[in-house]
Coordinates of all heavy atoms in Angstrom, one line a residue:
R18 N 33.4 -153.2 146.7 CA 34.2 -152.8 145.5 C 33.9 -151.5 145.1 O 32.7 -151.2 144.9 CB 34.0 -153.9 144.4 CG 34.4 -155.3 144.8 CD 34.2 -156.2 143.6 NE 35.1 -155.9 142.5 CZ 35.9 -156.8 142.0 NH1 36.0 -158.0 142.5 NH2 36.7 -156.5 141.0
P19 N 34.8 -150.6 144.8 CA 34.5 -149.3 144.3 C 33.9 -149.4 142.9 O 34.3 -150.3 142.1 CB 35.8 -148.5 144.4 CG 36.8 -149.6 144.3 CD 36.3 -150.8 145.0
R20 N 33.1 -148.4 142.5 CA 32.5 -148.4 141.2 C 32.9 -147.1 140.5 O 33.1 -146.0 141.2 CB 31.0 -148.4 141.2 CG 30.5 -149.8 141.7 CD 28.9 -149.8 141.7 NE 28.4 -148.7 142.6 CZ 27.1 -148.2 142.5 NH1 26.3 -148.7 141.6 NH2 26.7 -147.3 143.3
M21 N 33.1 -147.1 139.2 CA 33.4 -145.9 138.4 C 32.1 -145.6 137.7 O 31.7 -146.3 136.8 CB 34.6 -146.1 137.5 CG 35.9 -146.3 138.2 SD 36.4 -144.8 139.1 CE 38.2 -144.9 139.2
I22 N 31.5 -144.5 138.0 CA 30.2 -144.1 137.5 C 30.3 -142.9 136.6 O 30.9 -141.9 137.0 CB 29.2 -143.8 138.6 CG1 29.0 -145.1 139.5 CG2 27.8 -143.4 138.0 CD1 28.1 -144.9 140.7
A23 N 29.9 -143.0 135.4 CA 30.1 -141.9 134.4 C 29.3 -140.7 134.8 O 28.1 -140.8 135.3 CB 29.7 -142.4 133.0
V24 N 29.9 -139.5 134.7 CA 29.2 -138.3 134.9 C 28.4 -137.9 133.7 O 28.8 -138.1 132.6 CB 30.3 -137.2 135.2 CG1 29.6 -135.8 135.3 CG2 31.1 -137.5 136.5
D25 N 27.2 -137.4 133.9 CA 26.3 -137.0 132.8 C 27.0 -136.0 131.9 O 27.7 -135.1 132.4 CB 25.0 -136.5 133.4 CG 24.1 -137.5 134.0 OD1 24.4 -138.7 133.7 OD2 23.3 -137.2 134.8
G26 N 26.8 -136.1 130.6 CA 27.3 -135.1 129.7 C 28.5 -135.7 128.9 O 29.1 -136.7 129.4
S27 N 28.8 -135.2 127.8 CA 29.9 -135.6 127.0 C 30.8 -134.4 126.6 O 30.4 -133.3 126.7 CB 29.4 -136.3 125.7 OG 28.6 -135.4 125.0
F28 N 32.0 -134.8 126.2 CA 32.9 -133.7 125.8 C 32.8 -133.3 124.4 O 32.5 -134.1 123.5 CB 34.4 -134.2 126.0 CG 34.7 -134.5 127.5 CD1 35.1 -135.8 127.8 CD2 34.7 -133.6 128.4 CE1 35.5 -136.1 129.1 CE2 35.0 -133.8 129.8 CZ 35.4 -135.1 130.1
S29 N 33.0 -132.0 124.1 CA 33.0 -131.5 122.7 C 34.5 -131.3 122.4 O 35.1 -130.2 122.8 CB 32.2 -130.3 122.6 OG 32.2 -129.8 121.3
W30 N 35.1 -132.1 121.5 CA 36.5 -132.1 121.3 C 36.9 -131.2 120.1 O 36.1 -131.1 119.1 CB 37.0 -133.5 121.1 CG 36.9 -134.4 122.3 CD1 36.0 -135.3 122.6 CD2 37.9 -134.4 123.4 NE1 36.2 -135.8 123.9 CE2 37.4 -135.3 124.3 CE3 39.0 -133.6 123.7 CZ2 38.1 -135.5 125.5 CZ3 39.7 -133.9 124.8 CH2 39.2 -134.8 125.7
Q31 N 38.1 -130.7 120.2 CA 38.8 -130.1 119.0 C 40.1 -130.7 118.9 O 40.7 -131.2 119.9 CB 38.9 -128.6 119.3 CG 37.6 -127.8 119.5 CD 37.8 -126.4 119.8 OE1 38.5 -125.7 119.0 NE2 37.3 -125.9 120.9
S32 N 40.7 -130.7 117.7 CA 42.0 -131.3 117.5 C 43.0 -130.4 116.8 O 42.6 -129.5 116.0 CB 41.8 -132.6 116.7 OG 41.3 -132.4 115.4
Y33 N 44.2 -130.7 117.0 CA 45.3 -130.0 116.3 C 46.5 -131.0 116.0 O 46.9 -131.7 116.9 CB 45.9 -128.9 117.2 CG 47.1 -128.2 116.7 CD1 47.0 -127.2 115.7 CD2 48.4 -128.5 117.2 CE1 48.1 -126.5 115.3 CE2 49.5 -127.9 116.7 CZ 49.4 -126.9 115.8 OH 50.5 -126.3 115.3
L34 N 46.9 -131.0 114.8 CA 47.9 -132.0 114.4 C 49.3 -131.5 114.7 O 49.7 -130.4 114.3 CB 47.8 -132.3 112.9 CG 46.5 -133.0 112.4 CD1 46.5 -133.3 111.0 CD2 46.2 -134.2 113.3
E35 N 50.1 -132.3 115.5 CA 51.5 -132.0 115.7 C 52.2 -132.2 114.4 O 52.0 -133.1 113.7 CB 52.0 -133.0 116.8 CG 53.5 -132.9 117.0 CD 53.9 -131.7 117.7 OE1 53.1 -131.1 118.5 OE2 55.1 -131.3 117.6
E36 N 53.3 -131.3 114.2 CA 54.1 -131.5 113.0 C 55.1 -132.6 113.2 O 55.7 -132.7 114.2 CB 54.8 -130.1 112.8 CG 53.9 -129.0 112.4 CD 54.7 -127.7 112.1 OE1 56.0 -127.8 112.1 OE2 54.1 -126.7 111.8
T37 N 55.3 -133.3 112.1 CA 56.4 -134.3 112.1 C 57.7 -133.5 111.7 O 57.8 -132.9 110.6 CB 56.1 -135.3 111.0 OG1 54.8 -136.0 111.3 CG2 57.2 -136.4 111.0
A38 N 58.6 -133.5 112.6 CA 59.8 -132.8 112.4 C 60.6 -133.4 111.3 O 60.6 -134.6 111.1 CB 60.7 -132.7 113.7
S39 N 61.4 -132.6 110.6 CA 62.2 -133.1 109.5 C 63.6 -132.5 109.6 O 63.8 -131.5 110.2 CB 61.6 -132.7 108.1 OG 61.4 -131.3 108.0
A40 N 64.5 -133.1 108.9 CA 65.9 -132.8 109.0 C 66.3 -131.4 108.5 O 65.6 -130.9 107.6 CB 66.8 -133.8 108.3
F41 N 67.2 -130.8 109.2 CA 67.8 -129.5 108.7 C 66.8 -128.4 108.7 O 67.0 -127.4 108.0 CB 68.5 -129.7 107.4 CG 69.3 -130.9 107.3 CD1 69.0 -131.9 106.4 CD2 70.4 -131.1 108.2 CE1 69.8 -133.1 106.3 CE2 71.1 -132.3 108.1 CZ 70.9 -133.2 107.1
A42 N 65.8 -128.5 109.6 CA 64.9 -127.3 109.8 C 65.6 -126.2 110.6 O 66.7 -126.5 111.2 CB 63.6 -127.8 110.4
D43 N 65.0 -125.1 110.7 CA 65.7 -123.9 111.4 C 65.8 -124.2 112.9 O 66.8 -123.7 113.5 CB 64.9 -122.6 111.2 CG 64.8 -122.2 109.7 OD1 65.8 -122.6 109.0 OD2 63.9 -121.5 109.3
D44 N 64.9 -124.9 113.5 CA 65.0 -125.1 115.0 C 65.6 -126.4 115.4 O 65.3 -126.9 116.4 CB 63.6 -124.9 115.5 CG 62.6 -125.9 114.9 OD1 62.9 -126.6 113.9 OD2 61.5 -126.0 115.5
T45 N 66.5 -126.9 114.6 CA 67.1 -128.2 114.9 C 68.6 -128.0 115.1 O 69.2 -127.0 114.6 CB 66.9 -129.3 113.8 OG1 67.4 -128.9 112.6 CG2 65.4 -129.5 113.7
T46 N 69.3 -129.0 115.7 CA 70.7 -129.0 115.9 C 71.2 -130.2 115.1 O 70.7 -131.3 115.2 CB 71.1 -129.1 117.3 OG1 70.6 -128.0 118.1 CG2 72.6 -129.2 117.5
T47 N 72.2 -130.0 114.3 CA 72.8 -131.1 113.4 C 74.2 -131.5 113.9 O 75.0 -130.6 114.2 CB 72.8 -130.6 112.0 OG1 71.6 -130.2 111.5 CG2 73.4 -131.7 111.1
M48 N 74.4 -132.8 114.0 CA 75.6 -133.4 114.5 C 75.9 -134.6 113.7 O 74.9 -135.2 113.2 CB 75.6 -133.6 116.0 CG 75.5 -132.4 116.8 SD 75.4 -132.7 118.6 CE 73.8 -133.4 118.8

């Protein structure tokens, strides 16, 4: 059976929040 073995070390993460789109903004199409 194959094994999944963790590689030494951990990730240092950064985050960025995606915008929640709203109606009638400049970059939208209205129909």
Side-chain angles (χ1 to χ4, degrees):
R18 297 181 67 121
R20 296 181 300 163
M21 291 299 204
I22 300 175
V24 175
D25 290 339
S27 58
F28 296 120
S29 179
W30 292 98
Q31 301 177 54
S32 62
Y33 172 81
L34 298 182
E35 171 72 25
E36 292 182 4
T37 303
S39 59
F41 314 120
D43 293 337
D44 56 349
T45 62
T46 300
T47 302
M48 296 179 284

